[in-house]
Amino acid sequence: MTSFYGASARNEATLEVRQILEGLAPGEGDLLEALHRVQHRYGYIPQAAIPGVAQHLRLPESRVYGAVTYYSEFRQTPPPETKISWCSGPACYIKGSENLRLVLEGLLACGMGENTPDNRLGLHLGQCNGTCDNAPQVWVDGEVVGPLTPSKTVELVRRLQAGDQP
Amino acid sequence: MPTYAELEAQAAPAKRRIEARDRPRLAVGIDTSSIAVGALKTLDALRALVASRGLDADVVQTGGNGLSFANPQVEVGRAGGSRILYQHVDAEDVPDFLESVLVRGEQTNRWLLGALGGSPASGVARMDDHAWWSVQERRLMSEMGLIDPESIDDALATGAYAGLERSLVMTQEDVIAEVTGSKLGGRSGGFFPTGRKWDFLRTSPTTPKTMVCNADEGDPGAWVNRMTMEDDPHALIEGMLIGAWAAGAATGYIYVREEYPLAFERVVKAVEQAYERGLLGKDILGHDFSFEMKVVRGAGSYVCGEESGLIASIEDARGMPKIRPPYPAASGVFGQGSNVNNVGSYHCAAWIMRHGVEKYADVGTERNPGTMLFSLSGHVQRAGCFEFAFGVTVGQAYEICGGGAPVGHTFKALQPGGPLLGVLPEFALDLAIEPEAFREKGAVGLGGGGFVFLDDTACVIDLCAQFEWFLEDESCGRCTTCHGGTQRMVEIIRRIQRGGGRESDIGKFRLIADTLKYSNCFHGQFAPSIIVNTMTWFAAELEEHIFSRHCRAGVCKGLTRYEAGRDKATRAEYAEAYARAAETCLTLAMRRAAGDAVEGQEPCLECVVCAELLPQAVHVVDAFEQGDPAPELISIQPAYE
């Protein structure tokens, strides 16, 4: 994970970001692709990467920042080592996913979009991906775990906290 | 550029592999649904074991067939053409499974689902014997589960791009006439005639023109577009090419939502392969037609499924819907005349041009010929994606395919087509699957293919809270009616759920619903649907919540509490269960019930672990006695109320 502080680091960051964006051109609708690449490289969109993206695509920085904050999949803070996404879809919801959310938030003491203080685990608000035969479910680093009950969720979180596999 | 006949010739080995089968072929359906239950592990285990034991068989990947409830599935094809599906073949079952089907050559075993075709041994159940299979009209899905979606040869071997070849020798007008004649309606749920839409773009004076595919299937509970993209992506590309030819477009965008990584991957791969074979690019199939295609990956925004929001999102911007007109045909992506269709519409168009409009109209109803994909989920026994001819009733889909409500429960409501389309009571089961039938009964519409069924354990008010919260969260924020209206709805519903319902709330709901109609786009305009439906069809339940502070399903947290049996007899009887519950539960309440009070415990999370582990001893009771004074509310309500 790279972090950016200070003016010289900022220029370096801009250079590095522009390398990542090679092949993308202004005026062709490449902003989302550019941000996906930045997020793929750093795990999130560092504030210092925004000028580089803006320069490369000849867009105002405000427009890049606007897109970063508009779309829920772009994060502005480093991701956790293990991301638990809670599915917010209706099939999960009517089968009690709200109880799973209470367990997750209660046990990890963090809300949706936040990480535990040591950044080992974090919660993410997931949107339905249509694997509703396993509802209610969570995805641990993208892998579906379900169907869950509150007690199974407690056990899952405890396993993850202990550093075990889901 | 190769001609269609040349491409067909190239695909001949693939065709032989799919049809003839000189040796057994084990095919594992791989898509997001099956990966979720370990199909990749099954595939790896099969490959490893077949190789290590030197068995004479091919192990291949195909797409999924929609039957999520049966995953992971393995299809065993044998010389002579028999194709038999096996269900729930987990990785640990693989040794026994291979022993049965390959070593002993058995066709019937404990994993058997049914024979798809060919000539299976006598006594082997056929898929057609299953009502949930035979009630379907599997046309769009006929290649799903048969071909490897990552192989263009497999697609070509089963007729892909034949519809394009046929269209390219027709005039633009004739192609549009055929699609219009099929009465194909937009599959996003709007059912606007696709042929007419193409004609708008064809006759639009702007050049160049753009074809856009809306693959931002954001409606939770629907995954029909994902099926097409993951299991038969070339059908989508073919449909877009046909539309582009008919409307005179030279560029195209497929906008895939972020939440479908595998669909994105497979569509990108399909586009690359189509370029390699000259199905995209210059002089396609040797005709005077050129088309460039780009796949755009969304980043998590529900309103980007609205066409003007989607266009804005492609154009380097926040995906905020715009006021129409101008419509996309006059000014769309980068100001170019554009046409936006749903994945399903393009898929249908490809099918129509491959097989002809007469064949398409064989099934379905007079006003809605053809078929449509539906994903059934929620409180059903079999969740999955099924294909129905229009005119089949919701009840048939629910009872026959879905298997009805879980044992011991009864149907309560249908939630069709995502959060904007409300919720329907018992009469939903009698409705024919047709947009008109839904609208005639006062429903917002049929939707884009998602059916979420609710049984008596679900609370409609609680679902209202969830959907309004979702719509508030996903509102783009441009109009105050929408972001303010949805926010206000959430506040009121949550207050009702905490026991603070007021008589005036009904009037407030109506006022907000009326105001939301003046929002710019569908998102705000249809945001109050579920509340309006609830006031119409679930009035008794809503009034119970407001006036009696009672939730009949025992779901709303503020209206219920959990009571553990504390008498000695109960405790002794369930001592073991209590111990386990106390181990898992984090809260003081549970520890106390277990006779193990620990000071300084955190307050109850209301996670209901106790009721789950001790269903006999922990009961849901009303939080309020009838006649209790109203509770003191945490004040998030403005003072003017």
Side-chain angles (χ1 to χ4, degrees):
Chain A
M1 208 66 57
T2 316
S3 63
F4 302 102
Y5 294 104
S8 64
R10 194 181 145 107
N11 290 337
E12 259 171 50
T14 304
L15 269 179
E16 192 178 316
V17 163
R18 297 198 61 170
Q19 277 168 6
I20 298 171
L21 304 184
E22 227 176 78
L24 303 184
E28 291 190 3
D30 283 338
L31 177 57
L32 283 183
E33 174 60 24
L35 293 175
H36 277 304
R37 285 191 194 180
V38 173
Q39 178 143 314
H40 184 73
R41 169 71 179 77
Y42 300 107
Y44 69 112
I45 314 265
Q47 191 79 20
I50 290 175
V53 176
Q55 282 172 30
H56 193 93
L57 297 178
R58 293 198 207 120
L59 292 169
E61 287 184 23
S62 60
R63 189 137 164 201
V64 179
Y65 180 75
V68 173
T69 52
Y70 183 82
Y71 296 98
S72 56
E73 289 303 316
F74 292 136
R75 31 186 327 142
Q76 292 185 277
T77 50
E81 282 165 38
T82 302
K83 183 168 88 173
I84 306 174
S85 304
W86 169 78
C87 179
S88 62
C92 286
Y93 195 78
I94 59 173
K95 290 185 167 187
S97 68
E98 186 67 6
N99 296 328
L100 311 189
R101 188 177 68 80
L102 293 167
V103 168
L104 293 169
E105 294 185 346
L107 269 177
L108 296 175
C110 68
M112 289 294 154
E114 295 172 3
N115 299 349
T116 53
D118 58 3
N119 270 346
R120 278 192 45 224
L121 294 168
L123 293 179
H124 176 75
L125 185 88
Q127 303 293 352
C128 180
N129 69 359
T131 52
C132 307
D133 49 318
N134 293 308
Q137 57 181 254
V138 299
W139 317 316
V140 178
D141 284 336
E143 213 165 288
V144 175
V145 184
L148 286 171
T149 63
S151 69
K152 282 186 189 168
T153 312
V154 172
E155 286 156 15
L156 170 72
V157 173
R158 286 184 177 158
R159 273 200 304 279
L160 292 172
Q161 282 173 328
D164 294 338
Q165 290 298 309
Chain B
M1 284 300 125
T3 61
Y4 184 70
E6 284 164 9
L7 289 180
E8 247 185 335
Q10 279 177 22
K15 197 175 171 78
R16 259 199 313 281
R17 214 170 45 240
I18 293 170
E19 284 174 1
R21 290 179 200 146
D22 312 330
R23 58 195 205 140
R25 174 181 182 261
L26 307 178
V28 185
I30 300 289
D31 63 5
T32 301
S33 294
S34 68
I35 290 173
V37 289
L40 280 177
K41 294 190 188 104
T42 301
L43 180 62
D44 289 345
L46 280 172
R47 279 193 174 136
L49 202 61
V50 165
S52 71
R53 294 192 52 179
L55 296 168
D56 182 35
D58 291 321
V59 181
V60 298
Q61 148 186 294
T62 61
N65 59 7
L67 307 175
S68 311
F69 64 88
N71 284 334
Q73 299 173 63
V74 179
E75 186 195 302
V76 179
R78 287 192 168 83
S82 83
R83 294 171 54 203
I84 303 178
L85 265 178
Y86 297 90
Q87 63 174 340
H88 301 305
V89 185
D90 296 319
E92 44 284 14
D93 296 338
V94 162
D96 290 346
F97 177 73
L98 279 181
E99 191 70 30
S100 167
V101 296
L102 285 187
V103 180
R104 292 200 297 271
E106 292 167 349
Q107 300 196 351
T108 306
N109 55 30
R110 69 182 167 100
W111 298 278
L112 178 70
L113 186 62
L116 275 162
S119 43
S122 65
V124 175
R126 287 176 171 272
M127 289 301 277
D128 286 330
D129 298 339
H130 297 296
W132 48 258
W133 180 265
S134 53
V135 75
Q136 295 187 65
E137 190 61 55
R138 291 173 70 97
R139 301 177 143 198
L140 301 170
M141 293 178 83
S142 61
E143 269 74 63
M144 294 184 188
L146 176 64
I147 60 168
D148 178 356
E150 298 184 19
S151 158
I152 192 169
D153 280 333
D154 276 25
L156 284 163
T158 51
Y161 298 104
L164 174 66
E165 170 66 10
R166 183 170 158 246
S167 304
L168 290 177
V169 296
M170 291 165 71
T171 63
Q172 295 180 308
E173 289 84 349
D174 286 348
V175 174
I176 287 179
E178 183 147 349
V179 174
T180 309
S182 73
K183 300 184 190 168
L184 171 62
R187 292 292 191 256
S188 63
F191 290 91
F192 187 86
T194 304
R196 268 181 69 199
K197 220 175 184 179
W198 290 2
D199 207 38
F200 288 154
L201 184 61
R202 186 181 69 83
T203 52
S204 165
T206 64
T207 48
K209 292 170 184 171
T210 304
M211 231 37 200
V212 181
C213 174
N214 183 347
D216 190 73
E217 188 177 39
D219 285 325
W223 65 92
V224 296
N225 293 349
R226 201 196 79 206
M227 292 295 301
T228 298
M229 290 187 281
E230 287 183 355
D231 304 317
D232 195 4
H234 288 284
L236 164 62
I237 298 172
E238 182 182 357
M240 276 185 82
L241 282 165
I242 293 167
W245 164 248
T251 48
Y253 296 91
I254 304 178
Y255 187 97
V256 187
R257 72 195 282 244
E258 156 80 24
E259 290 83 354
Y260 286 173
L262 184 65
F264 177 76
E265 200 182 292
R266 286 189 172 167
V267 169
V268 168
K269 199 172 250 178
V271 167
E272 283 168 2
Q273 291 172 341
Y275 266 111
E276 282 166 18
R277 298 297 172 92
L279 286 157
L280 286 168
K282 298 226 179 321
D283 301 328
I284 293 165
L285 294 177
H287 298 271
D288 181 22
F289 171 54
S290 301
F291 191 72
E292 301 293 333
M293 180 98 90
K294 186 167 168 179
V295 188
V296 180
R297 185 165 152 213
S301 166
Y302 181 66
V303 283
C304 286
E306 201 276 352
E307 63 179 16
S308 61
L310 187 140
I311 288 170
S313 184
I314 294 174
E315 295 170 342
D316 280 353
R318 285 167 287 157
M320 296 166 96
K322 294 173 196 150
I323 297 176
R324 298 175 300 175
Y327 287 94
S331 173
V333 183
F334 296 115
Q336 297 173 6
S338 304
N339 172 73
V340 185
N341 279 136
N342 179 269
V343 175
S345 312
Y346 287 125
H347 192 168
C348 284
W351 202 95
I352 291 165
M353 296 314 291
R354 275 187 214 175
H355 302 272
V357 64
E358 289 84 21
K359 184 106 182 24
Y360 179 77
D362 270 358
V363 295
T365 61
E366 181 63 38
R367 48 189 182 181
N368 292 293
T371 59
M372 182 164 162
L373 269 55
F374 287 89
S375 54
L376 314 186
S377 65
H379 292 135
V380 286
Q381 302 206 6
R382 284 186 289 269
C385 183
F386 302 88
E387 182 173 356
F388 301 115
F390 287 104
V392 168
T393 66
V394 175
Q396 283 174 303
Y398 174 61
E399 296 290 347
I400 300 174
C401 290
V407 177
H409 295 284
T410 51
F411 174 81
K412 179 172 186 172
L414 165 69
Q415 199 292 304
L420 296 174
L421 269 73
V423 63
L424 307 175
E426 285 87 2
F427 72 72
L429 294 182
D430 302 327
L431 295 179
I433 293 182
E434 275 194 287
E436 295 84 356
F438 274 63
R439 286 190 209 119
E440 280 158 14
K441 282 283 189 177
V444 184
L446 172 60
F451 278 164
V452 181
F453 293 94
L454 282 65
D455 71 9
D456 51 1
T457 61
C459 171
V460 174
I461 316 303
D462 193 44
L463 190 64
C464 286
Q466 169 71 359
F467 275 1
E468 292 302 334
W469 162 80
F470 175 86
L471 294 168
E472 178 201 343
D473 197 45
E474 294 291 345
S475 171
C476 83
R478 179 167 274 166
C479 23
T480 310
T481 43
C482 177
H483 71 77
T486 49
Q487 186 184 2
R488 197 73 194 90
M489 288 277 202
V490 173
E491 286 167 4
I492 297 172
I493 301 166
R494 290 203 174 148
R495 173 161 53 69
I496 293 172
Q497 285 190 297
R498 286 197 309 272
R502 300 167 194 167
E503 208 176 338
S504 58
D505 288 339
I506 305 271
K508 286 206 184 84
F509 282 144
R510 289 204 193 285
L511 176 66
I512 299 169
D514 288 343
T515 312
L516 274 164
K517 282 184 199 145
Y518 298 98
S519 304
N520 282 344
C521 78
F522 298 138
H523 188 87
Q525 288 160 12
F526 292 114
S529 305
I530 190 165
I531 297 279
V532 173
N533 286 171
T534 300
M535 289 192 295
T536 316
W537 293 315
F538 297 94
E541 199 169 339
L542 179 61
E543 281 164 14
E544 256 170 35
H545 278 71
I546 295 178
F547 300 112
S548 313
R549 284 177 282 162
H550 169 68
C551 175
R552 58 171 84 170
V555 169
C556 294
K557 298 274 181 208
L559 301 180
T560 49
R561 66 191 168 80
Y562 288 83
E563 207 171 66
R566 296 192 183 190
D567 54 290
K568 282 213 173 78
T570 320
R571 229 192 274 164
E573 198 177 336
Y574 301 117
E576 204 180 310
Y578 268 134
R580 189 172 158 228
E583 184 99 321
T584 313
C585 170
L586 309 159
T587 70
L588 187 59
M590 195 60 241
R591 300 256 167 158
R592 254 195 216 136
D596 174 28
V598 179
E599 276 181 47
Q601 287 288 316
E602 51 269 69
C604 178
L605 295 176
E606 300 178 328
C607 68
V608 207
V609 163
C610 52
E612 179 205 334
L613 297 178
L614 284 167
Q616 313 90 333
V618 177
H619 307 288
V620 187
V621 294
D622 277 346
F624 298 100
E625 299 290 328
Q626 291 300 311
D628 260 6
E632 279 200 25
L633 294 167
I634 305 160
S635 182
I636 57 158
Q637 300 302 319
Y640 54 77
E641 263 211 0

